[in-house]
Amino acid sequence: MTTLSFDKSKLTSFVNDEELAMIQPMVTVADEMLRQGTGAGAAYTDWIKLPTEYDQAEFARIQAAAQKIKKNSQVLVVIGIGGSYLGARAAVDFLNDYFNSAYSDGEREFPQIIFTGNNISGQYLNSVIKLIGDRDFSVNVISKSGTTTEPAIAFRVFKQMLEDKYGAEASKERIFATTDAKRGALKTLADDQGYEEFVVPDGVGGRFSVLTAVGLLPIAAAGGDIEQLMAGAAAAQNDYADADLQKNEAYQYAAYRNILYRKGYTTELLINYEPTLVQFGEWWKQLQGESEGKDGKGIFPASGNFSTDLHSFGQYIQEGRRNIFETLVRVTNPASDVVIPEMEADDGLEYLQGKTMSYVNRMASDGTLLAHVDGGVPNMVVEIEQQDAYHLGYMIYFFEIAVGISGYLNGVNPFNQPGVEAYKKNMFGLLGKPGYEELTTALRERL
Ligand code: PA5
């Protein structure tokens, strides 16, 4: 098996070969726009070559910072929202034991990673503070703009907590700031305070930043092999460089999505059968939704955590409105397995004893896939062989390059996110932020 296999064999009753051939000229143009930098948003496409052209010196500093955190901290608090946390969180879950981030005591080889600054809940912050308890901790605050409200509020709280615990000077040794190279409030503060800084490169948007310091520092601190992560992404960069649909499965995925979308399949579910992939689905939702959902268009990205969700909205998928297609992400060899034990008493499971849970899971996913296809839900399968950093890096790149092509195929700029500003403006207005006075009055009247 190759590092990643893309199976579209269950699409035959929904899309024919001719349709794929018909879309090739559009894919060729989209590829040119993406790689020659002639498409909208070209200034934000540096992620394309990132796996082979990253800052080696900074990479070494990331490794060193991760070691330092490992030595002096039992907890790393990662503060960031959207692209400034989703990739790291997906990778930390994928590469670790499922409850790794939930353990709060006992011996740990690596610090516990706690993500915060991704909501505006005081209750959540209090829970994080409680979870840290008396343990030694460090903070990685991540914000490209350096001005996003959610992480800025959380950072104030944890900066104060560090200063109370370690004193103003020593706490600076425990703060790592990942932000723009030149601009923003966080950059100014980090320069002023002398925090160790890492850069979110100019040409890499938040949702494409998991392979920069944004993702790499938390992943490395959690014990992830970031060299292998980059090596996997570099292999994918090499493998998915051809505009020919017959030779490029990431482009095939983009093309099939586009064909299905035009036929009325407007919602895509990214399906997993493995709890350590749940957060990967969250990362993917941002990647797709923020890249494609604009100008009144775009496939709505959602996720399904099976078999759990088969017992909730599985009914809808099987028999509800026929506008859904699914992309199943699965790992051939699970990180660990359980053999179903023998039992004398009859609980009706005799036919399964001695079999592995992964075998049962596989049968569940195969059975569901066929049932959904029979029910009118197109299905594609993205499968990686192992649950490790190399394969994760490879798969991340597969979805990133696909969304670039997909966005251009659908006639949008896949690299901006103008819609994200609308809620922020209203929030600032309602909070009475200086400079928003007129909006404050207008919004309060409407409420
Ligand atoms: O992808 C994006 O651009 C956004 O989701 C941002 O990552 C998110 O809004 C956080 O922004 P920042 O990193 O500037 O705090």
Side-chain angles (χ1 to χ4, degrees):
M1 187 183 159
T2 52
T3 309
L4 181 151
S5 76
F6 174 63
D7 180 5
K8 63 277 178 186
S9 62
K10 303 299 174 296
L11 284 181
T12 43
S13 50
F14 304 96
V15 181
N16 62 46
D17 290 348
E18 203 172 283
E19 287 176 274
L20 192 70
M22 294 284 281
I23 206 169
Q24 176 66 67
M26 275 83 94
V27 171
T28 305
V29 171
D31 173 77
E32 266 169 38
M33 291 165 78
L34 191 62
R35 293 181 191 270
Q36 325 256 324
T38 55
Y44 295 97
T45 52
D46 286 356
W47 54 269
I48 296 174
K49 293 187 179 158
L50 191 61
T52 50
E53 292 180 11
Y54 58 90
D55 180 340
Q56 300 275 350
E58 184 179 65
F59 193 83
R61 278 201 305 119
I62 291 170
Q63 300 269 39
Q67 281 307 316
K68 180 174 168 186
I69 294 165
K70 183 184 159 183
K71 278 205 188 97
N72 72 4
S73 302
Q74 292 160 288
V75 175
L76 174 65
V77 178
V78 177
I79 301 175
I81 194 165
S84 289
Y85 100 103
L86 283 163
R89 187 164 188 182
V92 168
D93 264 25
F94 185 83
L95 298 174
N96 287 288
D97 179 74
Y98 183 67
F99 289 109
N100 190 48
S101 345
Y103 297 145
S104 58
D105 48 20
E107 287 292 305
R108 305 176 61 89
E109 202 191 336
F110 294 96
Q112 177 182 16
I113 312 294
I114 304 177
F115 292 92
T116 187
N118 52 59
N119 57 49
I120 320 179
S121 163
Q123 193 182 346
Y124 180 84
L125 270 196
N126 274 329
S127 303
V128 171
I129 292 167
K130 209 160 139 195
L131 189 57
I132 297 171
D134 293 336
R135 292 182 294 165
D136 284 312
F137 73 102
S138 294
V139 166
N140 180 198
V141 54
I142 308 170
S143 176
K144 180 170 179 167
S145 63
T147 53
T148 308
T149 313
E150 291 90 334
I153 294 172
F155 183 54
R156 272 201 176 205
V157 172
F158 289 103
K159 179 178 182 301
Q160 182 67 57
M161 202 171 144
L162 279 171
E163 287 174 0
D164 290 348
K165 191 173 168 96
Y166 301 103
E169 277 314 303
S171 67
K172 290 177 187 169
E173 287 295 310
R174 291 176 174 272
I175 296 175
F176 302 85
T178 307
T179 189
D180 190 88
K182 299 189 195 86
R183 291 170 291 272
L186 179 57
K187 169 70 184 160
T188 311
L189 182 70
D191 284 353
D192 179 58
Q193 301 282 303
Y195 303 148
E196 172 146 24
E197 294 178 37
F198 297 98
V199 173
V200 192
D202 272 348
V204 181
R207 58 190 173 277
F208 292 89
S209 69
V210 55
L211 301 176
T212 71
V214 171
L216 296 178
L217 180 54
I219 296 168
D225 186 339
I226 57 174
E227 273 181 24
Q228 280 300 302
L229 188 75
M230 295 307 275
Q237 182 188 325
N238 180 59
D239 292 352
Y240 299 130
D242 203 311
D244 184 345
L245 277 172
Q246 295 309 322
K247 297 182 185 149
N248 190 329
E249 292 191 320
Y251 282 23
Q252 278 180 29
Y253 169 62
Y256 280 121
R257 292 177 82 243
N258 192 267
I259 294 167
L260 290 167
Y261 177 62
R262 290 175 196 222
K263 292 183 177 198
Y265 296 100
T266 54
T267 295
E268 179 177 12
L269 294 180
L270 194 83
I271 303 297
N272 70 76
Y273 281 79
E274 176 54 62
T276 49
L277 271 163
V278 170
Q279 292 300 327
F280 188 82
E282 297 304 306
W283 169 81
W284 174 88
K285 271 151 62 175
Q286 186 204 9
L287 182 70
Q288 302 293 338
E290 224 171 62
S291 301
E292 294 192 312
K294 45 198 73 156
D295 305 331
K297 300 188 272 196
I299 296 169
F300 181 74
S303 56
N305 305 314
F306 291 177
S307 63
T308 313
D309 289 337
L310 291 173
H311 298 257
S312 67
F313 65 96
Q315 166 64 34
Y316 188 101
I317 301 170
Q318 190 66 48
E319 294 183 347
R321 193 169 178 173
R322 301 298 71 187
N323 62 350
I324 298 170
F325 67 99
E326 292 173 309
T327 301
L328 165 61
V329 172
R330 63 182 173 191
V331 183
T332 314
N333 302 304
S336 72
D337 215 340
V338 166
V339 175
I340 298 166
E342 293 186 11
M343 191 168 83
E344 270 182 25
D346 184 11
D347 63 353
L349 280 188
E350 208 176 315
Y351 73 106
L352 290 181
Q353 65 192 22
K355 302 235 165 38
T356 59
M357 296 251 330
S358 64
Y359 166 76
V360 178
N361 210 12
R362 185 84 187 188
M363 295 305 107
S365 72
D366 282 349
T368 306
L369 192 147
L370 293 177
H372 286 182
V373 168
D374 291 347
V377 180
N379 260 263
M380 297 177 271
V381 183
V382 171
E383 182 159 347
I384 52 173
E385 207 179 359
Q386 305 291 348
Q387 192 158 342
D388 61 18
Y390 183 88
H391 288 77
L392 178 63
Y394 197 98
M395 183 163 67
I396 285 171
Y397 197 88
F398 173 93
F399 283 112
E400 286 185 345
I401 201 75
V403 84
I405 292 297
S406 198
Y408 284 144
L409 281 180
N410 209 21
V412 298
N413 174 355
F415 306 116
N416 66 359
Q417 54 283 326
V420 180
E421 293 310 308
Y423 101 89
K424 289 187 188 169
K425 234 172 59 193
N426 280 2
M427 181 173 77
F428 290 150
L430 290 172
L431 287 170
K433 185 172 176 171
Y436 290 79
E437 291 76 7
E438 260 181 52
L439 187 64
T440 306
T441 316
L443 291 175
R444 285 187 183 159
E445 268 170 23
R446 280 177 63 197
L447 285 173

